[in-house]
Structure formats: C-alpha cells, structure tokens
Amino acid sequence: MTDTYARTTTSAWRNWAGTVTARPARTESPASVDELVDVLRRANEDGLKVKPVGTGHSFTATAATDGVLIRPDLLTGIRDIDRTTMTVTVEAGTPLKRLNTALAREGLSLTNMGDIMEQTIAGATSTGTHGTGRDSASISAQIRALELVTADGTVLVCSEQENPEVFAAARVGLGALGVITAVTLAVEPVFLLTAREEPMTFDRVTGDFDQLVAENEHFEFYWFPHTGNCNTKRNNRSAGPAAPPSRVSSWIDDELLSNGIFQVACSVGRAIPPAIPSIAKLSSRALSARTYTDIPYKVFTSPRRVKFVEMEYAVPREQAVAALRELKAMVERSPLKISFPVEVRTAPADDMALSTASGRDSAYIAVHLYKGTPHRSYFTAVERIMTAHSGRPHWGKIHTRDAAYLAEVYPRFGEFTAVRDRLDPDRMFGNDYLRRVLGD
Ligand SMILES: Cc1cc2nc3c(=O)[nH]c(=O)nc-3n(C[C@H](O)[C@H](O)[C@H](O)COP(=O)(O)OP(=O)(O)OC[C@H]3O[C@@H](n4cnc5c(N)ncnc54)[C@H](O)[C@@H]3O)c2cc1C
C-alpha cells in the first residue's frame, strides 16, 4: 500500500436531505486517474462494489453503497479551455460553483443550468440535472465528451465521434457505467440575462402556458398550493447593461424571504398543519414583481438553505397543464396541507438514452415537502397523476418506479442496459437503487 491511501477512511455517508445513510466498507479519495484505477483494482480483489459520489444532493439512494465509496474531493479543477472548439474540460468532481466562477473569470459560461450550483459536474449530469429552457436543455446535453474508467480499469473516452453508443448512455449514466473522471462541456462567451419575476394567477399561467414557454428563452413558475397564486420567472438574453439586484434587495429576496422567513413558515406549518393554507395565501400575496440583469449563473441559481424532500416528474410538454390541474384538484379535495410551492420548468427533446427529456419536449413538475414532514401520501398521489401521463421521474429525486415501468416510458431503455452489460457485466457499480430501476 502506498501513502496515497492515507486518504482511505471508513466513516458513514449521508445525503444532503438526510434521507439516505450508507456505511461503506471504505471511502477513497483518489487524486488522479491512475490512483482511481488502483482503487478499482483493489475493490475487485476484495470483492467489493464501488460507487462514485458527488456532493450527495440526490434524494434517492443512487449514490449509496456498502462497498467502496469514491469521493470526488481530489479530482477537481479545470483541465483545459479550448477557445477554438469553445469547450472546457473539467475534472469530474469539480463543483458547479467553482466551474461557473472560473468560467466567468475567463469570460465564458454554460448555456443553461439548474437552480443551485453545489453539486459536482459528474454527479449533476449523471442524474440529468436540468434547469428550464425553450431551446437549451439539461447540463448533460451540453457535454461534448466524457472520460470514464470502466470496471476492468480501462480509461475510455466517448463523444459523438468516439464510442458514440457509450456517449449516448453515459451523459445521463446514473453512475452505472463507470467512474467519470473528466467532462468536456460546450461553453459560450459570457452573456447577460434579464430576469423578470412576476406574480400571476394559476388560471392565467396555465391558460397562457404554451405562449409563455414560446415567448421566453427560459420560463418557469411556482404554484402555491391552497391558493390560486403563482410566481413566474422569465429569463431572456439581454444587450445590457448589467443591473444586478442591490445587495439589500438580493438579501431580502434570496436570504430573508426564500430562506429565513420561509424556514420559519415551514417550521410553523410542520408544527400546526391547519395553518398552512393561511400562510400560503399570505406569503403568495406578499410577492412582488422585480426585474434584474446579470450573468447566467447569478440569474439561474440561488442558495437553498431550507431542507426539503422532493419528487419531480417529466411529462410530455403538451400534457403539462392537464397534469398540473389534476394535481391542484387532488390537493384541494384531499386533507393534505402543503407548505412548499410546486415548481414547473421545461426542456426541449434531447438525444440521450435515459435523459428525462429523451426524444420528447418535456415539462417538469416538482413537488417538495419540508424536511421531517411525512411525504408518502402526497408523493404517492402526485406519482399516480404523473405516471398516468407517462411521466419519467428525475433519477435523483424520490420516486417508486421500477425497471418494468421505466422500460415502457423510455424507448431507448434497452440501448442503455446493453451498454451497461458490456461495460459492467459483473455489476461492480451496482447498488440497490440500480437493481430497482435497471432490473438487475
Ligand atoms: C437543494 C437542491 C436543489 C436541486 N436543484 C435541482 C435542479 O434545479 N434541477 C435538477 O435537475 N436537479 C436538482 N437537484 C437534484 C441534483 O442536482 C441531483 O440529484 C444531482 O445528481 C446531485 O449531484 P451530486 O453532485 O450531489 O451527486 P450525488 O447525488 O452525490 O450522485 C448522483 C449520482 O451521480 C453518480 N456520480 C457521482 N459522481 C460520479 C462520477 N465521477 N462518475 C460516475 N457517476 C458519478 C453517483 O453515483 C450517483 O448515481 C437538486 C437537489 C437539491 C438537494
């Protein structure tokens, strides 16, 4: 054993939401591809399964293992920026936060991203993390090449030209195909986005949904259960000048309202559920319109300090409004008291086998509950509605679907499992979650 393995530990692992705990036989933090290959070889010798983990922001047990847990902490940083191809290659464990700030310093940016930037690039893309977009899709769709180490220790590079069948599978690879060590992403010169946040009624948003999606590069909205109120957000490219929210206004909106007061409201709601509808009416009426212009990551992402659990389904875009109306009617006729807004986003069809938007224009409907609130009855009722619309669950968010269901809603499911059979025939990267969703 070399001194490299001073970085081997055996502590327990928990995800961000605190809903999944794992006790790996050991935890390794390789600092190079060679060290990683050695970690896999030793796991093989010891008959242990292997699971690379990001920052544990998945709500599902997708990253859990009782074998060797591979932490990304020493596989971070930018490897290369190529201004001819307009791509950046980063180590797989690089947090999105570090990627976004480093790109901005270089005058570059990703085209689209999700709500937060705590995750690692490999972790985020392995479950298909997305934001909202009319023309631009998930972070995985912005990948141009991947380097991954497979079960037999091969370092495999894939792109549209090289190993294209692996590329189609591994951009949303669920950690099932190997350990990603580097990700090459398309970038563009940094640009400005103008965000327009505006309260709107549920009836207006759902009535005008197609138009709102068509007229904006990035449209999303939140509906407040027990009310007819929504908050909408339209992000569109702008010629500038930059006009970020003032420090005070951003503190009030992003920290005080979205985190501080929201945390108190959620705690009160959890202790006294009958108070939730009144709190929802009050807080949704307190929303006001605001407009600001800034670089992409400052507009797309914001801190999320209130802990929650989440389920999110992608439904065919044309069925989104029907599914949402059913969800609203279900909440209204049930005794459920829901303190968290429902988030609605969109994505264009993409070409990755297990992307939630694979082959179809999609709308995402996400439901959340404050951490510690029993979620089963709400999530079961929502899941019943979403699956009736051929919904595809986010791979990193709570759901109960199995391989039989998923094979029906993903026409390219067999293509993914064939790549997996070839790259990981002995299921070195298997765990209980993958057994459920992929069938073995
Ligand atoms: C507060 C919060 C906000 C969120 N916002 C959004 C959002 O806006 N949009 C959205 O779509 N999702 C969102 N999510 C979900 C989140 O983006 C995904 O669950 C994402 O996968 C988490 O990334 P991670 O780095 O924490 O990876 P983990 O959760 O640690 O791991 C996820 C998967 O990636 C695999 N993996 C990790 N590293 C590697 C590697 N090197 N090689 C191969 N496989 C690897 C793991 O094995 C696992 O299967 C949010 C989650 C939270 C908690």
Side-chain angles (χ1 to χ4, degrees), residues 12-93:
W13 173 87
R14 283 184 106 196
N15 66 343
W16 175 86
T19 49
V20 180
T21 306
R23 297 206 169 273
R26 55 179 189 253
T27 300
E28 307 263 18
S29 303
S32 67
V33 174
D34 286 348
E35 282 188 19
L36 173 65
V37 170
D38 212 31
V39 165
L40 298 189
R41 184 187 50 74
R42 292 191 305 120
N44 229 334
E45 282 166 11
D46 297 343
L48 291 170
K49 303 263 182 215
V50 173
K51 196 75 344 217
V53 70
T55 50
H57 275 66
S58 295
F59 299 89
T60 55
T62 176
T65 186
D66 56 6
V68 179
L69 190 78
I70 299 185
R71 284 201 175 271
D73 319 335
L74 301 178
L75 282 173
T76 63
I78 298 208
R79 268 195 201 175
D80 179 49
I81 294 177
D82 185 334
R83 288 178 194 271
T84 316
T85 55
M86 286 303 276
T87 54
V88 57
T89 300
V90 289
E91 303 287 339

Side-chain angles (χ1 to χ4, degrees), residues 187-440:
V187 288
E188 54 178 313
V190 71
F191 53 95
L192 290 171
L193 281 173
T194 294
R196 184 168 150 213
E197 295 174 9
E198 188 189 345
M200 232 180 243
T201 63
F202 181 89
D203 290 343
R204 186 172 157 212
V205 184
T206 49
D208 294 350
F209 183 67
D210 289 341
Q211 193 184 340
L212 287 162
V213 172
E215 285 176 352
N216 293 285
E217 287 168 87
H218 308 272
F219 176 70
E220 67 182 306
F221 70 95
Y222 291 89
W223 165 59
F224 292 78
H226 313 294
T227 80
N229 303 331
C230 297
N231 200 20
T232 61
K233 187 172 181 189
R234 287 169 253 198
N235 298 332
N236 287 290
R237 287 184 192 227
S238 149
S246 72
R247 282 173 92 90
V248 174
S249 141
S250 128
W251 181 80
I252 290 175
D253 281 297
D254 296 333
E255 286 299 338
L256 189 66
L257 294 179
S258 303
N259 286 301
I261 291 181
F262 188 48
Q263 168 87 51
V264 173
C266 287
S267 304
V268 171
R270 190 174 61 188
I272 318 165
I276 286 176
S278 309
I279 295 173
K281 284 186 184 92
L282 250 166
S283 46
S284 63
R285 272 197 228 116
L287 294 168
S288 55
R290 65 169 179 157
T291 301
Y292 51 93
T293 301
D294 215 330
I295 60 171
Y297 80 81
K298 294 191 178 174
V299 170
F300 285 128
T301 71
S302 53
R304 296 285 156 97
R305 297 191 218 293
V306 181
K307 291 262 166 123
F308 56 85
V309 288
E310 180 175 354
M311 164 183 280
E312 180 176 58
Y313 266 83
V315 296
R317 170 113 38 101
E318 64 280 7
Q319 295 184 40
V321 168
L324 257 172
R325 288 185 177 138
E326 287 164 37
L327 199 166
K328 184 165 185 279
M330 179 276 288
V331 170
E332 280 164 4
R333 65 170 185 267
S334 79
L336 293 167
K337 303 285 180 255
I338 313 301
S339 60
F340 249 82
V342 173
E343 185 178 19
V344 182
R345 296 179 279 184
T346 67
D350 64 44
D351 63 352
M352 297 165 283
L354 292 191
S355 161
T356 43
S358 182
R360 70 185 194 193
D361 289 345
S362 301
Y364 293 96
I365 300 177
V367 295
H368 314 68
L369 280 174
Y370 184 46
K371 190 184 163 198
T373 313
H375 65 263
R376 190 150 306 172
S377 25
Y378 180 38
F379 284 11
T380 303
V382 172
E383 199 167 33
R384 201 171 299 132
I385 294 168
M386 298 306 151
T387 52
H389 290 277
S390 308
R392 297 169 177 169
H394 189 302
W395 298 105
K397 301 184 184 179
I398 292 171
H399 71 93
T400 67
R401 299 298 88 194
D402 62 12
Y405 174 87
L406 294 162
E408 260 177 45
V409 293
Y410 282 99
R412 295 172 64 184
F413 190 83
E415 188 185 316
F416 185 94
T417 52
V419 171
R420 184 185 186 216
D421 287 345
R422 180 154 66 80
L423 298 185
D424 188 17
D426 300 327
R427 306 296 187 244
M428 177 184 237
F429 303 107
N431 65 4
D432 289 346
Y433 179 75
L434 288 181
R435 208 165 299 121
R436 168 159 71 88
V437 299
L438 295 179
D440 74 308

